[in-house]
Amino acid sequence: MSQAQTQTAPPPMVQAEGVSKWFGDLVAVSDVSFSIGAGVTALLGPNGAGKSTLLRMMCGLARPSNGSLTVLGKNPRADVAVLGRIGMAPQQESLLDYLSGREFVELAAQLHHVDNPVEAARRAIQTVELDPDDPRKLSTYSKGMRQRIKLAQAIVHDPLVIALDEPLTGLDPRQRREMIQLFHRLGSEGKCVIVSSHVLDEVERFGSRVLVIAQGRLAAEGDFREIRNLMDDRPLRISIRTDQPRALAIALLNRGVISGCRLEANNLVVVDTSDPTAFRRAVAPAARDQDASLLELRPLDDDLESVFRYLVGQ
Amino acid sequence: MNTHIYRVVIRSQISTGRLLALAGLSGVAILLAFVARAADDPVEVATRSMGTFGTNVFAPFIALALGSTALGNLVEDRTLVYVWLRPVPRHSVATAAFAAVLSVVGPIVVAVMTVAAAITGVDDLLVATAVATALAVFAYSGLFLALGLRFKRSLLIGLGYIAIWELLLSRLGDWFARLSVRSYPMSILSDATDVSMRLADRSTLASYIVPLAVGLAGLLYTSWRLSRTEID
């Protein structure tokens, strides 16, 4: 075997090429291409961005309207066997409520033809910090317990690709920490763990590769720190309340850190900056030079939606 | 057939409301049998009772209540995903669901109607009732299993189908009657006792073949639909 062959990168575990999905006139996913290997990958985007649709297509629950999506080299929609290597925790809360948690996870193990489904179910339930001997029906489970039992059924058969749709919703901070550790452990075992979330800070704690999905498009892709920097450096509109709005606005314009401004009532000035970092450094010295008091600084478009809108425009 | 899915569907079907409906309809069947036994012409009254109630009401309504919800409930409460995500052939899911419906509806409806037929004291009706009811259950179970997977408000649509098509339009003429499931099992009853009933003039062969074909067509459609459907 040649050195070139031995150093060949492993094939991606999930690969999307020009994938689109539409429902009538609604385009849920538009021409998305990516490849994902082992480790934890976060799918970040606002609600309705197309994350769940992408995950559903990865697990064969929906077929792409256009393009191709393969998991472990197979089409999960056409090849039922590949579903044995995929685990998924869907977003919806509904479960088979007439079963107990153990029965629910055992059923998953049985349908995946696991050798010892009873033992596998016990292990998976313990992994998500639930009691495998709890006889209660799923209908009595709290939101956090439902999230964890969904995770247990997703990992009970030791899959290679694990797709988790908003898995931290409803968990308390300690449980979130434990779950994130579990994702990393699974990732370090060579599994491909794909976790969707609309919470920026949550994804930051996954600390891994990120695919940013906005308006059905792949808005950004790469290491989380790079994307975070990109997000932090985007143009911002900021409202400043000061006792000398006109003087402060002129000072900021003269320093070249804002591209426009508008004076408003109640001592407010709204400024546009394309260099938020430079603005943050300059605003306090500019106020000091003008003997102006800074009473309030408030970003007007710092919500996640506007961050994603910006990334889509990039 | 997948036995794990079979067991889950069986469990999902058992509810207090359904058991009460079963008990209520069973009670009506037994009551009608006693009325027929006491009638001046027990053969005619019994045949009409078994036909009208057994194959027109009991079998279709119970098959609708359980058949339409077997997979329909999984679709409506968005839990079909927990079956779909597994490496199980889709035809195996459909077969398991069909078997689960049959094994709940079949024994109960057939047993109750056969006991009712025995109470009437009309010997010719005993086997014919068991066979006719079993065929009606098979046909309606397949039909409503498919309906449950295809439509969201399948229970309502099924009720509309029974009331409008089976009970109303089927009386409009022979061609309508041919497309009515109930005319076939009724013909078996009519053949057994020589009591003439409206709609019950299908050939003996068709009376057996058509209900089986309808049930199997429902099962095949369910398998096909399962393999094509997109899961929420």
Side-chain angles (χ1 to χ4, degrees), chain A residues 21 56 60-61 63 77 83 92 94-95 98 103 110 112 150 153, chain B residues 4 11-12 77-79 82 84 86-87 90 228-232:
Chain A
K21 178 70 183 174
R56 286 174 56 230
L61 300 175
R63 81 176 67 80
R77 186 73 195 169
L83 295 179
Q92 63 260 34
S94 49
L95 299 168
Y98 40 88
E103 288 169 331
Q110 286 159 342
H112 277 290
K150 278 195 295 185
Q153 64 79 36
Chain B
H4 306 299
R11 282 189 69 172
S12 74
D77 64 17
R78 303 178 71 197
T79 51
Y82 295 110
W84 182 276
R86 317 305 176 200
R90 306 311 174 202
R228 302 276 305 163
T229 197
E230 299 207 346
I231 310 295
D232 251 348

PDB file of all heavy atoms in Angstrom, chain A residues 21 56 60-61 63 77 83 92 94-95 98 103 110 112 150 153, chain B residues 4 11-12 77-79 82 84 86-87 90 228-232:
ATOM      1  N   LYS A  21     -34.909  20.961  -0.414  1.00  0.00           N
ATOM      2  CA  LYS A  21     -36.162  20.332  -0.034  1.00  0.00           C
ATOM      3  C   LYS A  21     -37.239  21.402  -0.020  1.00  0.00           C
ATOM      4  O   LYS A  21     -37.063  22.443   0.612  1.00  0.00           O
ATOM      5  CB  LYS A  21     -36.039  19.705   1.368  1.00  0.00           C
ATOM      6  CG  LYS A  21     -37.307  19.069   1.882  1.00  0.00           C
ATOM      7  CD  LYS A  21     -37.660  17.813   1.149  1.00  0.00           C
ATOM      8  CE  LYS A  21     -38.965  17.200   1.605  1.00  0.00           C
ATOM      9  NZ  LYS A  21     -39.353  16.050   0.770  1.00  0.00           N
ATOM     10  N   ARG A  56     -33.887  15.229   9.257  1.00  0.00           N
ATOM     11  CA  ARG A  56     -34.870  14.227   8.826  1.00  0.00           C
ATOM     12  C   ARG A  56     -34.417  13.565   7.527  1.00  0.00           C
ATOM     13  O   ARG A  56     -34.580  12.353   7.345  1.00  0.00           O
ATOM     14  CB  ARG A  56     -36.249  14.866   8.664  1.00  0.00           C
ATOM     15  CG  ARG A  56     -36.911  15.172  10.012  1.00  0.00           C
ATOM     16  CD  ARG A  56     -38.209  15.938   9.853  1.00  0.00           C
ATOM     17  NE  ARG A  56     -39.130  15.252   8.998  1.00  0.00           N
ATOM     18  CZ  ARG A  56     -39.769  15.807   7.970  1.00  0.00           C
ATOM     19  NH1 ARG A  56     -39.596  17.083   7.692  1.00  0.00           N
ATOM     20  NH2 ARG A  56     -40.577  15.109   7.229  1.00  0.00           N
ATOM     21  N   GLY A  60     -33.422   9.516   6.668  1.00  0.00           N
ATOM     22  CA  GLY A  60     -34.320   8.828   5.745  1.00  0.00           C
ATOM     23  C   GLY A  60     -35.793   9.107   5.993  1.00  0.00           C
ATOM     24  O   GLY A  60     -36.645   8.469   5.381  1.00  0.00           O
ATOM     25  N   LEU A  61     -36.098  10.034   6.887  1.00  0.00           N
ATOM     26  CA  LEU A  61     -37.507  10.315   7.169  1.00  0.00           C
ATOM     27  C   LEU A  61     -38.144  11.131   6.049  1.00  0.00           C
ATOM     28  O   LEU A  61     -39.355  11.121   5.878  1.00  0.00           O
ATOM     29  CB  LEU A  61     -37.646  11.088   8.488  1.00  0.00           C
ATOM     30  CG  LEU A  61     -37.101  10.376   9.730  1.00  0.00           C
ATOM     31  CD1 LEU A  61     -37.190  11.284  10.944  1.00  0.00           C
ATOM     32  CD2 LEU A  61     -37.868   9.101   9.992  1.00  0.00           C
ATOM     33  N   ARG A  63     -37.287  12.674   1.829  1.00  0.00           N
ATOM     34  CA  ARG A  63     -36.354  12.562   0.704  1.00  0.00           C
ATOM     35  C   ARG A  63     -36.061  13.953   0.167  1.00  0.00           C
ATOM     36  O   ARG A  63     -36.960  14.809   0.141  1.00  0.00           O
ATOM     37  CB  ARG A  63     -36.916  11.643  -0.374  1.00  0.00           C
ATOM     38  CG  ARG A  63     -37.916  12.246  -1.322  1.00  0.00           C
ATOM     39  CD  ARG A  63     -38.323  11.253  -2.398  1.00  0.00           C
ATOM     40  NE  ARG A  63     -39.064  10.149  -1.840  1.00  0.00           N
ATOM     41  CZ  ARG A  63     -40.366  10.198  -1.519  1.00  0.00           C
ATOM     42  NH1 ARG A  63     -41.057  11.312  -1.689  1.00  0.00           N
ATOM     43  NH2 ARG A  63     -40.986   9.160  -1.034  1.00  0.00           N
ATOM     44  N   ARG A  77     -32.811   6.841   2.599  1.00  0.00           N
ATOM     45  CA  ARG A  77     -34.218   6.750   2.205  1.00  0.00           C
ATOM     46  C   ARG A  77     -34.486   5.419   1.484  1.00  0.00           C
ATOM     47  O   ARG A  77     -35.542   4.825   1.639  1.00  0.00           O
ATOM     48  CB  ARG A  77     -34.530   7.927   1.282  1.00  0.00           C
ATOM     49  CG  ARG A  77     -35.954   8.085   0.885  1.00  0.00           C
ATOM     50  CD  ARG A  77     -36.834   8.598   1.990  1.00  0.00           C
ATOM     51  NE  ARG A  77     -38.220   8.385   1.637  1.00  0.00           N
ATOM     52  CZ  ARG A  77     -39.250   8.516   2.434  1.00  0.00           C
ATOM     53  NH1 ARG A  77     -39.065   8.893   3.674  1.00  0.00           N
ATOM     54  NH2 ARG A  77     -40.468   8.296   2.023  1.00  0.00           N
ATOM     55  N   LEU A  83     -30.145   2.289   8.182  1.00  0.00           N
ATOM     56  CA  LEU A  83     -30.804   2.850   9.369  1.00  0.00           C
ATOM     57  C   LEU A  83     -30.309   2.167  10.648  1.00  0.00           C
ATOM     58  O   LEU A  83     -30.408   2.719  11.737  1.00  0.00           O
ATOM     59  CB  LEU A  83     -32.327   2.719   9.257  1.00  0.00           C
ATOM     60  CG  LEU A  83     -32.985   3.515   8.128  1.00  0.00           C
ATOM     61  CD1 LEU A  83     -34.489   3.275   8.101  1.00  0.00           C
ATOM     62  CD2 LEU A  83     -32.706   5.011   8.276  1.00  0.00           C
ATOM     63  N   GLN A  92     -39.714  16.413  18.291  1.00  0.00           N
ATOM     64  CA  GLN A  92     -41.034  16.394  18.922  1.00  0.00           C
ATOM     65  C   GLN A  92     -41.002  15.648  20.246  1.00  0.00           C
ATOM     66  O   GLN A  92     -40.246  14.701  20.421  1.00  0.00           O
ATOM     67  CB  GLN A  92     -42.091  15.775  17.998  1.00  0.00           C
ATOM     68  CG  GLN A  92     -41.874  14.338  17.625  1.00  0.00           C
ATOM     69  CD  GLN A  92     -41.270  14.229  16.235  1.00  0.00           C
ATOM     70  OE1 GLN A  92     -40.485  15.071  15.833  1.00  0.00           O
ATOM     71  NE2 GLN A  92     -41.612  13.199  15.507  1.00  0.00           N
ATOM     72  N   SER A  94     -43.504  13.952  21.539  1.00  0.00           N
ATOM     73  CA  SER A  94     -44.386  12.790  21.619  1.00  0.00           C
ATOM     74  C   SER A  94     -43.596  11.477  21.619  1.00  0.00           C
ATOM     75  O   SER A  94     -42.624  11.320  20.885  1.00  0.00           O
ATOM     76  CB  SER A  94     -45.375  12.808  20.449  1.00  0.00           C
ATOM     77  OG  SER A  94     -44.687  13.023  19.246  1.00  0.00           O
ATOM     78  N   LEU A  95     -44.026  10.590  22.496  1.00  0.00           N
ATOM     79  CA  LEU A  95     -43.395   9.272  22.631  1.00  0.00           C
ATOM     80  C   LEU A  95     -44.508   8.226  22.652  1.00  0.00           C
ATOM     81  O   LEU A  95     -45.686   8.577  22.646  1.00  0.00           O
ATOM     82  CB  LEU A  95     -42.615   9.205  23.945  1.00  0.00           C
ATOM     83  CG  LEU A  95     -41.473  10.207  24.128  1.00  0.00           C
ATOM     84  CD1 LEU A  95     -41.000  10.200  25.570  1.00  0.00           C
ATOM     85  CD2 LEU A  95     -40.317   9.873  23.208  1.00  0.00           C
ATOM     86  N   TYR A  98     -47.798   4.795  26.151  1.00  0.00           N
ATOM     87  CA  TYR A  98     -48.339   3.648  26.877  1.00  0.00           C
ATOM     88  C   TYR A  98     -47.240   2.653  27.267  1.00  0.00           C
ATOM     89  O   TYR A  98     -47.519   1.630  27.880  1.00  0.00           O
ATOM     90  CB  TYR A  98     -49.426   2.945  26.048  1.00  0.00           C
ATOM     91  CG  TYR A  98     -49.091   2.848  24.581  1.00  0.00           C
ATOM     92  CD1 TYR A  98     -48.357   1.767  24.091  1.00  0.00           C
ATOM     93  CD2 TYR A  98     -49.464   3.845  23.701  1.00  0.00           C
ATOM     94  CE1 TYR A  98     -48.026   1.699  22.758  1.00  0.00           C
ATOM     95  CE2 TYR A  98     -49.128   3.785  22.362  1.00  0.00           C
ATOM     96  CZ  TYR A  98     -48.412   2.713  21.889  1.00  0.00           C
ATOM     97  OH  TYR A  98     -48.071   2.649  20.560  1.00  0.00           O
ATOM     98  N   GLU A 103     -39.314  -0.177  28.407  1.00  0.00           N
ATOM     99  CA  GLU A 103     -39.948  -0.865  27.267  1.00  0.00           C
ATOM    100  C   GLU A 103     -39.692  -0.102  25.957  1.00  0.00           C
ATOM    101  O   GLU A 103     -39.477  -0.710  24.911  1.00  0.00           O
ATOM    102  CB  GLU A 103     -41.467  -0.979  27.505  1.00  0.00           C
ATOM    103  CG  GLU A 103     -41.837  -1.981  28.573  1.00  0.00           C
ATOM    104  CD  GLU A 103     -43.319  -1.884  28.966  1.00  0.00           C
ATOM    105  OE1 GLU A 103     -43.895  -0.787  28.866  1.00  0.00           O
ATOM    106  OE2 GLU A 103     -43.864  -2.901  29.398  1.00  0.00           O
ATOM    107  N   GLN A 110     -34.701  -3.983  20.180  1.00  0.00           N
ATOM    108  CA  GLN A 110     -35.229  -5.181  19.500  1.00  0.00           C
ATOM    109  C   GLN A 110     -35.371  -4.931  17.994  1.00  0.00           C
ATOM    110  O   GLN A 110     -34.996  -5.772  17.182  1.00  0.00           O
ATOM    111  CB  GLN A 110     -36.598  -5.549  20.088  1.00  0.00           C
ATOM    112  CG  GLN A 110     -36.511  -6.174  21.470  1.00  0.00           C
ATOM    113  CD  GLN A 110     -37.821  -6.073  22.236  1.00  0.00           C
ATOM    114  OE1 GLN A 110     -38.704  -5.284  21.911  1.00  0.00           O
ATOM    115  NE2 GLN A 110     -37.940  -6.869  23.285  1.00  0.00           N
ATOM    116  N   HIS A 112     -33.710  -2.962  16.279  1.00  0.00           N
ATOM    117  CA  HIS A 112     -32.364  -2.851  15.697  1.00  0.00           C
ATOM    118  C   HIS A 112     -31.612  -4.180  15.765  1.00  0.00           C
ATOM    119  O   HIS A 112     -30.423  -4.229  15.457  1.00  0.00           O
ATOM    120  CB  HIS A 112     -31.561  -1.764  16.416  1.00  0.00           C
ATOM    121  CG  HIS A 112     -31.833  -0.387  15.902  1.00  0.00           C
ATOM    122  ND1 HIS A 112     -31.434   0.036  14.662  1.00  0.00           N
ATOM    123  CD2 HIS A 112     -32.476   0.664  16.456  1.00  0.00           C
ATOM    124  CE1 HIS A 112     -31.807   1.301  14.471  1.00  0.00           C
ATOM    125  NE2 HIS A 112     -32.450   1.698  15.542  1.00  0.00           N
ATOM    126  N   LYS A 150     -35.395   9.880  24.856  1.00  0.00           N
ATOM    127  CA  LYS A 150     -35.246   9.932  23.394  1.00  0.00           C
ATOM    128  C   LYS A 150     -33.783   9.694  23.013  1.00  0.00           C
ATOM    129  O   LYS A 150     -33.474   9.022  22.034  1.00  0.00           O
ATOM    130  CB  LYS A 150     -35.687  11.310  22.864  1.00  0.00           C
ATOM    131  CG  LYS A 150     -37.175  11.458  22.695  1.00  0.00           C
ATOM    132  CD  LYS A 150     -37.544  12.657  21.847  1.00  0.00           C
ATOM    133  CE  LYS A 150     -37.172  13.963  22.468  1.00  0.00           C
ATOM    134  NZ  LYS A 150     -37.630  15.137  21.723  1.00  0.00           N
ATOM    135  N   GLN A 153     -32.934   5.930  23.371  1.00  0.00           N
ATOM    136  CA  GLN A 153     -33.347   5.089  22.242  1.00  0.00           C
ATOM    137  C   GLN A 153     -32.502   5.350  20.990  1.00  0.00           C
ATOM    138  O   GLN A 153     -32.413   4.506  20.112  1.00  0.00           O
ATOM    139  CB  GLN A 153     -34.848   5.222  21.940  1.00  0.00           C
ATOM    140  CG  GLN A 153     -35.347   6.593  21.489  1.00  0.00           C
ATOM    141  CD  GLN A 153     -35.074   6.915  20.033  1.00  0.00           C
ATOM    142  OE1 GLN A 153     -35.140   6.031  19.187  1.00  0.00           O
ATOM    143  NE2 GLN A 153     -34.748   8.167  19.748  1.00  0.00           N
TER     144      GLN A 153
ATOM    145  N   HIS B   4     -42.391  -7.556  17.370  1.00  0.00           N
ATOM    146  CA  HIS B   4     -42.263  -6.438  18.324  1.00  0.00           C
ATOM    147  C   HIS B   4     -43.258  -5.331  17.971  1.00  0.00           C
ATOM    148  O   HIS B   4     -43.912  -4.763  18.852  1.00  0.00           O
ATOM    149  CB  HIS B   4     -40.839  -5.892  18.310  1.00  0.00           C
ATOM    150  CG  HIS B   4     -39.800  -6.946  18.553  1.00  0.00           C
ATOM    151  ND1 HIS B   4     -39.754  -7.679  19.710  1.00  0.00           N
ATOM    152  CD2 HIS B   4     -38.795  -7.415  17.773  1.00  0.00           C
ATOM    153  CE1 HIS B   4     -38.748  -8.542  19.648  1.00  0.00           C
ATOM    154  NE2 HIS B   4     -38.159  -8.399  18.475  1.00  0.00           N
ATOM    155  N   ARG B  11     -50.925  -3.203  22.019  1.00  0.00           N
ATOM    156  CA  ARG B  11     -51.014  -2.430  23.269  1.00  0.00           C
ATOM    157  C   ARG B  11     -51.640  -1.066  23.033  1.00  0.00           C
ATOM    158  O   ARG B  11     -52.373  -0.552  23.865  1.00  0.00           O
ATOM    159  CB  ARG B  11     -49.630  -2.263  23.894  1.00  0.00           C
ATOM    160  CG  ARG B  11     -49.183  -3.505  24.594  1.00  0.00           C
ATOM    161  CD  ARG B  11     -47.937  -3.283  25.375  1.00  0.00           C
ATOM    162  NE  ARG B  11     -48.119  -2.420  26.529  1.00  0.00           N
ATOM    163  CZ  ARG B  11     -47.193  -2.209  27.436  1.00  0.00           C
ATOM    164  NH1 ARG B  11     -46.038  -2.818  27.320  1.00  0.00           N
ATOM    165  NH2 ARG B  11     -47.411  -1.420  28.450  1.00  0.00           N
ATOM    166  N   SER B  12     -51.318  -0.474  21.895  1.00  0.00           N
ATOM    167  CA  SER B  12     -51.843   0.865  21.609  1.00  0.00           C
ATOM    168  C   SER B  12     -53.351   0.812  21.346  1.00  0.00           C
ATOM    169  O   SER B  12     -54.047   1.813  21.444  1.00  0.00           O
ATOM    170  CB  SER B  12     -51.122   1.474  20.408  1.00  0.00           C
ATOM    171  OG  SER B  12     -51.553   0.852  19.217  1.00  0.00           O
ATOM    172  N   ASP B  77     -49.926  11.335  16.220  1.00  0.00           N
ATOM    173  CA  ASP B  77     -49.168  11.848  17.368  1.00  0.00           C
ATOM    174  C   ASP B  77     -47.655  11.886  17.083  1.00  0.00           C
ATOM    175  O   ASP B  77     -46.855  12.100  17.976  1.00  0.00           O
ATOM    176  CB  ASP B  77     -49.487  11.076  18.661  1.00  0.00           C
ATOM    177  CG  ASP B  77     -49.079   9.613  18.585  1.00  0.00           C
ATOM    178  OD1 ASP B  77     -48.290   9.265  17.698  1.00  0.00           O
ATOM    179  OD2 ASP B  77     -49.552   8.817  19.414  1.00  0.00           O
ATOM    180  N   ARG B  78     -47.292  11.702  15.854  1.00  0.00           N
ATOM    181  CA  ARG B  78     -45.915  11.848  15.366  1.00  0.00           C
ATOM    182  C   ARG B  78     -44.950  10.871  16.044  1.00  0.00           C
ATOM    183  O   ARG B  78     -43.795  11.206  16.314  1.00  0.00           O
ATOM    184  CB  ARG B  78     -45.435  13.279  15.541  1.00  0.00           C
ATOM    185  CG  ARG B  78     -46.325  14.290  14.842  1.00  0.00           C
ATOM    186  CD  ARG B  78     -45.861  15.697  15.062  1.00  0.00           C
ATOM    187  NE  ARG B  78     -44.639  15.987  14.360  1.00  0.00           N
ATOM    188  CZ  ARG B  78     -43.860  17.027  14.639  1.00  0.00           C
ATOM    189  NH1 ARG B  78     -44.165  17.845  15.600  1.00  0.00           N
ATOM    190  NH2 ARG B  78     -42.749  17.237  13.955  1.00  0.00           N
ATOM    191  N   THR B  79     -45.426   9.655  16.312  1.00  0.00           N
ATOM    192  CA  THR B  79     -44.532   8.654  16.898  1.00  0.00           C
ATOM    193  C   THR B  79     -44.167   7.553  15.898  1.00  0.00           C
ATOM    194  O   THR B  79     -43.417   6.642  16.235  1.00  0.00           O
ATOM    195  CB  THR B  79     -45.171   8.000  18.148  1.00  0.00           C
ATOM    196  OG1 THR B  79     -46.480   7.561  17.818  1.00  0.00           O
ATOM    197  CG2 THR B  79     -45.248   8.972  19.304  1.00  0.00           C
ATOM    198  N   TYR B  82     -40.540   6.464  15.500  1.00  0.00           N
ATOM    199  CA  TYR B  82     -39.838   5.468  16.322  1.00  0.00           C
ATOM    200  C   TYR B  82     -39.943   4.054  15.742  1.00  0.00           C
ATOM    201  O   TYR B  82     -39.293   3.139  16.222  1.00  0.00           O
ATOM    202  CB  TYR B  82     -40.360   5.506  17.763  1.00  0.00           C
ATOM    203  CG  TYR B  82     -40.039   6.823  18.414  1.00  0.00           C
ATOM    204  CD1 TYR B  82     -41.031   7.744  18.714  1.00  0.00           C
ATOM    205  CD2 TYR B  82     -38.719   7.189  18.677  1.00  0.00           C
ATOM    206  CE1 TYR B  82     -40.737   8.967  19.275  1.00  0.00           C
ATOM    207  CE2 TYR B  82     -38.405   8.407  19.229  1.00  0.00           C
ATOM    208  CZ  TYR B  82     -39.409   9.294  19.520  1.00  0.00           C
ATOM    209  OH  TYR B  82     -39.101  10.511  20.058  1.00  0.00           O
ATOM    210  N   TRP B  84     -40.172   3.921  12.123  1.00  0.00           N
ATOM    211  CA  TRP B  84     -39.541   4.165  10.821  1.00  0.00           C
ATOM    212  C   TRP B  84     -38.016   4.175  10.898  1.00  0.00           C
ATOM    213  O   TRP B  84     -37.329   3.746   9.971  1.00  0.00           O
ATOM    214  CB  TRP B  84     -40.038   5.507  10.271  1.00  0.00           C
ATOM    215  CG  TRP B  84     -39.475   5.791   8.927  1.00  0.00           C
ATOM    216  CD1 TRP B  84     -38.265   6.356   8.663  1.00  0.00           C
ATOM    217  CD2 TRP B  84     -40.048   5.490   7.670  1.00  0.00           C
ATOM    218  NE1 TRP B  84     -38.066   6.420   7.313  1.00  0.00           N
ATOM    219  CE2 TRP B  84     -39.146   5.897   6.690  1.00  0.00           C
ATOM    220  CE3 TRP B  84     -41.259   4.909   7.290  1.00  0.00           C
ATOM    221  CZ2 TRP B  84     -39.405   5.749   5.344  1.00  0.00           C
ATOM    222  CZ3 TRP B  84     -41.516   4.768   5.948  1.00  0.00           C
ATOM    223  CH2 TRP B  84     -40.591   5.185   4.989  1.00  0.00           C
ATOM    224  N   ARG B  86     -36.036   2.406  12.341  1.00  0.00           N
ATOM    225  CA  ARG B  86     -35.389   1.101  12.542  1.00  0.00           C
ATOM    226  C   ARG B  86     -35.215   0.370  11.212  1.00  0.00           C
ATOM    227  O   ARG B  86     -36.013   0.550  10.295  1.00  0.00           O
ATOM    228  CB  ARG B  86     -36.229   0.230  13.483  1.00  0.00           C
ATOM    229  CG  ARG B  86     -36.792   0.958  14.689  1.00  0.00           C
ATOM    230  CD  ARG B  86     -35.729   1.666  15.510  1.00  0.00           C
ATOM    231  NE  ARG B  86     -36.336   2.430  16.593  1.00  0.00           N
ATOM    232  CZ  ARG B  86     -35.743   3.431  17.219  1.00  0.00           C
ATOM    233  NH1 ARG B  86     -34.531   3.811  16.879  1.00  0.00           N
ATOM    234  NH2 ARG B  86     -36.347   4.062  18.198  1.00  0.00           N
ATOM    235  N   PRO B  87     -34.216  -0.487  11.147  1.00  0.00           N
ATOM    236  CA  PRO B  87     -33.993  -1.228   9.889  1.00  0.00           C
ATOM    237  C   PRO B  87     -34.992  -2.366   9.724  1.00  0.00           C
ATOM    238  O   PRO B  87     -34.637  -3.542   9.752  1.00  0.00           O
ATOM    239  CB  PRO B  87     -32.554  -1.742  10.045  1.00  0.00           C
ATOM    240  CG  PRO B  87     -32.348  -1.848  11.513  1.00  0.00           C
ATOM    241  CD  PRO B  87     -33.190  -0.802  12.168  1.00  0.00           C
ATOM    242  N   ARG B  90     -40.587  -2.112   5.350  1.00  0.00           N
ATOM    243  CA  ARG B  90     -41.880  -1.442   5.550  1.00  0.00           C
ATOM    244  C   ARG B  90     -43.059  -2.400   5.432  1.00  0.00           C
ATOM    245  O   ARG B  90     -44.064  -2.224   6.111  1.00  0.00           O
ATOM    246  CB  ARG B  90     -42.019  -0.289   4.545  1.00  0.00           C
ATOM    247  CG  ARG B  90     -40.849   0.697   4.570  1.00  0.00           C
ATOM    248  CD  ARG B  90     -40.507   1.145   5.977  1.00  0.00           C
ATOM    249  NE  ARG B  90     -39.300   1.986   6.007  1.00  0.00           N
ATOM    250  CZ  ARG B  90     -38.538   2.167   7.062  1.00  0.00           C
ATOM    251  NH1 ARG B  90     -38.797   1.537   8.185  1.00  0.00           N
ATOM    252  NH2 ARG B  90     -37.490   2.953   7.018  1.00  0.00           N
ATOM    253  N   ARG B 228     -43.344   5.034   0.931  1.00  0.00           N
ATOM    254  CA  ARG B 228     -43.267   6.298   0.200  1.00  0.00           C
ATOM    255  C   ARG B 228     -43.425   7.512   1.101  1.00  0.00           C
ATOM    256  O   ARG B 228     -42.969   8.603   0.769  1.00  0.00           O
ATOM    257  CB  ARG B 228     -44.400   6.355  -0.856  1.00  0.00           C
ATOM    258  CG  ARG B 228     -44.397   5.243  -1.837  1.00  0.00           C
ATOM    259  CD  ARG B 228     -43.476   5.496  -2.984  1.00  0.00           C
ATOM    260  NE  ARG B 228     -43.783   6.747  -3.641  1.00  0.00           N
ATOM    261  CZ  ARG B 228     -42.947   7.369  -4.468  1.00  0.00           C
ATOM    262  NH1 ARG B 228     -41.772   6.857  -4.712  1.00  0.00           N
ATOM    263  NH2 ARG B 228     -43.284   8.495  -5.054  1.00  0.00           N
ATOM    264  N   THR B 229     -44.098   7.314   2.219  1.00  0.00           N
ATOM    265  CA  THR B 229     -44.499   8.473   3.021  1.00  0.00           C
ATOM    266  C   THR B 229     -43.295   9.162   3.669  1.00  0.00           C
ATOM    267  O   THR B 229     -42.271   8.531   3.931  1.00  0.00           O
ATOM    268  CB  THR B 229     -45.525   8.041   4.094  1.00  0.00           C
ATOM    269  OG1 THR B 229     -46.187   9.179   4.582  1.00  0.00           O
ATOM    270  CG2 THR B 229     -44.880   7.298   5.245  1.00  0.00           C
ATOM    271  N   GLU B 230     -43.443  10.454   3.903  1.00  0.00           N
ATOM    272  CA  GLU B 230     -42.403  11.198   4.629  1.00  0.00           C
ATOM    273  C   GLU B 230     -42.874  11.343   6.069  1.00  0.00           C
ATOM    274  O   GLU B 230     -44.036  11.624   6.318  1.00  0.00           O
ATOM    275  CB  GLU B 230     -42.169  12.553   3.970  1.00  0.00           C
ATOM    276  CG  GLU B 230     -41.700  12.387   2.545  1.00  0.00           C
ATOM    277  CD  GLU B 230     -40.851  13.544   2.055  1.00  0.00           C
ATOM    278  OE1 GLU B 230     -40.826  14.593   2.703  1.00  0.00           O
ATOM    279  OE2 GLU B 230     -40.210  13.366   1.007  1.00  0.00           O
ATOM    280  N   ILE B 231     -41.947  11.121   6.977  1.00  0.00           N
ATOM    281  CA  ILE B 231     -42.320  11.039   8.386  1.00  0.00           C
ATOM    282  C   ILE B 231     -42.037  12.363   9.084  1.00  0.00           C
ATOM    283  O   ILE B 231     -40.946  12.927   8.958  1.00  0.00           O
ATOM    284  CB  ILE B 231     -41.518   9.910   9.089  1.00  0.00           C
ATOM    285  CG1 ILE B 231     -41.601   8.612   8.280  1.00  0.00           C
ATOM    286  CG2 ILE B 231     -41.998   9.711  10.514  1.00  0.00           C
ATOM    287  CD1 ILE B 231     -42.959   8.000   8.174  1.00  0.00           C
ATOM    288  N   ASP B 232     -43.018  12.805   9.853  1.00  0.00           N
ATOM    289  CA  ASP B 232     -42.891  14.056  10.625  1.00  0.00           C
ATOM    290  C   ASP B 232     -41.974  13.879  11.813  1.00  0.00           C
ATOM    291  O   ASP B 232     -42.043  12.879  12.480  1.00  0.00           O
ATOM    292  CB  ASP B 232     -44.275  14.436  11.151  1.00  0.00           C
ATOM    293  CG  ASP B 232     -44.799  15.658  10.431  1.00  0.00           C
ATOM    294  OD1 ASP B 232     -44.015  16.299   9.733  1.00  0.00           O
ATOM    295  OD2 ASP B 232     -46.001  15.930  10.576  1.00  0.00           O
TER     296      ASP B 232
END
